Amino acid sequence: MVFKLFRLAGGRGSFATVKSFSVACIVAVAVGAASPVAVRAQGDAAAPAPAVDPSWLQVDTVTKTATFQLVAGLTGLNGALNFNGFRDGELTLTVPLGWTVVMHVRNHDGMLPHSAEIIPDTHPLPTGPVAPAFPRAFTLRLDQGLISEQTDDIRFIADKGGSYLIFCGVPGHGAAGMWVRFEVSGSVRKPSLAATPAGKP
């Protein structure tokens, strides 16, 4: 007789004990505020990345501020090593040069801690936290990470044009695919968020 413990996504501290003999797969779906999230156990198959939710990005053209909701472990994709359900650069946030960027970071993963920082677009990827590309462009406890449902805010001025990464600094997470792209451009007038092809930095 085998007992397995599953974390129900979208719930805080809710667990279900499932008794199984030779059950091949148990699937449940919990509907969260942003998108459906599948129940995940260690080693489960990766879920497909969600569509880009436009509500993740708020733009204030008067104050030239881009506010981005960055959710670590939003889905079970890549063992929850993802931001907003995207991994390996599959999501790109682009902001105009000189704008203020505010990232509301939340760890939705019920199992692992996560952090976030803006780092230079580099290869090979670092195995842990490095110096951020902009002052204050990182969450607290970069190497330990935020625990489940913990939040932190990142606020900085995107005063250097170029290509960067939003990277999880918990050792091993970023190198395993927990990063998305961040672009600072002098030729765009408004911030944007878009799905992009996966690939190495």
Side-chain angles (χ1 to χ4, degrees), residues 132-176:
F134 302 91
R136 297 181 298 281
F138 57 93
T139 56
L140 298 173
R141 299 186 307 279
L142 268 174
D143 53 348
Q144 292 97 351
L146 305 173
I147 62 173
S148 180
E149 296 305 332
Q150 192 172 11
T151 62
D152 192 18
D153 287 346
I154 296 173
R155 185 182 183 95
F156 64 96
I157 297 174
D159 56 0
K160 295 179 290 185
S163 298
Y164 304 92
L165 308 178
I166 302 172
F167 181 84
C168 180
V170 174
H173 289 194

Side-chain angles (χ1 to χ4, degrees), residues 109 165 178:
D109 188 347
L165 308 178
M178 194 168 181

Side-chain angles (χ1 to χ4, degrees), residues 5-192:
L5 191 65
F6 290 83
R7 167 76 173 179
L8 296 181
R12 294 189 182 192
S14 59
F15 290 86
T17 303
V18 179
K19 184 191 301 182
S20 65
F21 295 94
S22 60
V23 180
C25 181
I26 297 173
V27 177
V29 175
V31 179
S35 62
V37 180
V39 168
R40 176 178 61 85
Q42 194 78 16
D44 275 355
V52 174
D53 185 340
S55 71
W56 291 336
L57 178 63
Q58 291 85 44
V59 176
D60 187 332
T61 55
V62 175
T63 62
K64 295 185 176 180
T65 301
T67 303
F68 180 44
Q69 308 295 328
L70 183 67
V71 185
L74 178 62
T75 70
L77 177 73
N78 193 32
L81 298 181
N82 64 76
F83 286 118
N84 295 52
F86 295 85
R87 61 171 289 182
D88 289 316
E90 292 176 331
L91 185 70
T92 299
L93 171 63
T94 302
V95 301
L97 181 66
W99 275 50
T100 296
V101 178
V102 179
M103 293 187 183
H104 297 306
V105 183
R106 176 170 65 94
N107 180 16
H108 183 70
D109 188 347
M111 295 184 181
L112 299 173
H114 298 294
S115 63
E117 67 170 326
I118 309 300
I119 67 170
D121 188 341
T122 183
H123 185 74
L125 288 165
T127 56
V130 295
F134 302 91
R136 297 181 298 281
F138 57 93
T139 56
L140 298 173
R141 299 186 307 279
L142 268 174
D143 53 348
Q144 292 97 351
L146 305 173
I147 62 173
S148 180
E149 296 305 332
Q150 192 172 11
T151 62
D152 192 18
D153 287 346
I154 296 173
R155 185 182 183 95
F156 64 96
I157 297 174
D159 56 0
K160 295 179 290 185
S163 298
Y164 304 92
L165 308 178
I166 302 172
F167 181 84
C168 180
V170 174
H173 289 194
M178 194 168 181
W179 59 273
V180 292
R181 300 182 190 278
F182 177 67
E183 298 284 334
V184 180
S185 173
S187 63
V188 300
R189 294 177 176 269
K190 190 175 179 181
S192 63

